[in-house]
Amino acid sequence: MLLKNKQDGALIEIQDTITLINPFESQVKGCIQEGQEEQNLEKFAKNMLIFPSGENLPRCWVESNG
């Protein structure tokens, strides 16, 4: 799944969608999509990610209190 970083607009390929939809996890692993070579796996704060269309992630993915 591709998401976008709110700060710089970089596309990030999310490696673990189970962690992404788990509201008790604040970070998710992914790779920045940049250039021709595969980038290193990094952790990204879910509150800094949006869908490529500009929409925010669903609250049930980021807020554990409902």
Side-chain angles (χ1 to χ4, degrees):
M1 170 182 273
L2 286 177
L3 295 178
K4 189 164 59 170
N5 186 319
K6 285 182 186 179
Q7 289 180 320
D8 60 13
L11 286 176
I12 300 166
E13 182 180 1
I14 301 304
Q15 299 295 313
D16 184 2
T17 54
I18 299 299
T19 301
L20 177 64
I21 65 173
N22 182 346
F24 297 100
E25 297 285 345
S26 62
Q27 295 184 329
V28 64
K29 291 181 183 178
C31 297
I32 295 176
Q33 298 298 294
E34 185 172 66
Q36 295 292 324
E37 297 181 20
E38 184 73 25
Q39 303 297 314
N40 293 330
L41 198 60
E42 301 177 42
K43 286 188 176 183
F44 297 92
K46 291 195 312 188
N47 65 350
M48 295 306 297
L49 300 174
I50 57 175
F51 288 106
S53 64
E55 295 176 74
N56 290 323
L57 298 180
R59 284 182 28 197
C60 62
W61 291 8
V62 292
E63 294 179 10
S64 61
N65 59 358

